Amino acid sequence: MFKKLALSLATAGFVAGAATTASAKDIVEIAAGNEDFSTLVAAVQAAGLVEVLQGDGPFTVFAPTNAAFDALPPGTVESLLQPENKDKLVAVLTYHVVPGAIMYGDVQGGMVDATTVQGSTAKIDASYKGPKINQANIIAKDIEADNGVIHVIDAVILPPAN
C-alpha cells in the first residue's frame, strides 16, 4: 500500500518523504489530483470545506489516505457523510488541519502540541519515534501547495470527545 502511495505521489510530481513544491495548486487541487485521496476529497466536499481549504491559508493538512478511511470501523465513513452528521464530519476533518504552514523541519527532532482548526490539540511527534501526529504515521511530508502544506498520514485522527 505504501509503495503504491509513494508511486502515486511520485507520478503526481511528489517525492514521498521530501520537500516538494506543487506549481500554483491549492491543497484541494493537489488532493483531488491523486486517487489515493478520493475519500478525503468526498468528505471535504460533503462538509462544505472546499472553499475554506482553497482559501489563502496558510494551512497544514494531515491528509489521511483512502486506506486510512477504510481502516475505520465499518459504516463510519458512510455515517459521517450523511447530511445529519455534517457537524461531526466537519469536526473530524478540521481536526486534521492546523493554521499556518508547519514544515517537517520546523519540528524535526522534537514534539509539538498544535492547536487544530477544530479547536483541540494534536501532538506532532518528529522525534526519533516519529514522524507522527497523535497515533497516525506521517508517511509523506512537506508537500507544498500555494496555500500551505500537506503531510500524508496512514490513519484518520479523531478529536477528543467533549
Side-chain angles (χ1 to χ4, degrees), residues 103-125:
M103 304 301 285
Y104 181 71
D106 296 339
V107 293
Q108 188 172 8
M111 295 201 305
V112 173
D113 287 335
T115 302
T116 68
V117 171
Q118 181 267 346
S120 298
T121 301
K123 185 171 291 304
I124 302 170
D125 182 352

Side-chain angles (χ1 to χ4, degrees), residues 13-148:
F14 308 134
V15 178
T20 60
T21 302
S23 59
K25 288 186 178 181
D26 62 50
I27 289 167
V28 175
E29 291 171 320
I30 290 171
N34 187 307
E35 67 184 32
D36 287 319
F37 299 116
S38 61
T39 304
L40 175 62
V41 171
V44 167
Q45 291 169 337
L49 295 173
V50 171
E51 286 185 14
V52 172
L53 292 175
Q54 288 182 322
D56 291 338
F59 306 105
T60 299
V61 175
F62 294 91
T65 62
N66 291 345
F69 281 101
D70 291 344
L72 291 170
T76 301
V77 173
E78 294 78 9
S79 176
L80 285 171
L81 293 175
Q82 296 299 316
E84 63 270 17
N85 293 326
K86 183 177 179 181
D87 290 344
K88 290 179 186 176
L89 178 62
V90 168
V92 169
L93 293 175
T94 57
Y95 189 61
H96 289 79
V97 181
V98 175
I102 302 172
M103 304 301 285
Y104 181 71
D106 296 339
V107 293
Q108 188 172 8
M111 295 201 305
V112 173
D113 287 335
T115 302
T116 68
V117 171
Q118 181 267 346
S120 298
T121 301
K123 185 171 291 304
I124 302 170
D125 182 352
S127 68
Y128 67 94
K129 296 184 240 174
K132 291 181 177 280
I133 181 164
N134 292 354
Q135 299 303 314
N137 294 303
I138 299 171
I139 57 175
K141 55 189 178 289
D142 293 348
I143 301 167
E144 293 184 58
D146 66 1
N147 64 340

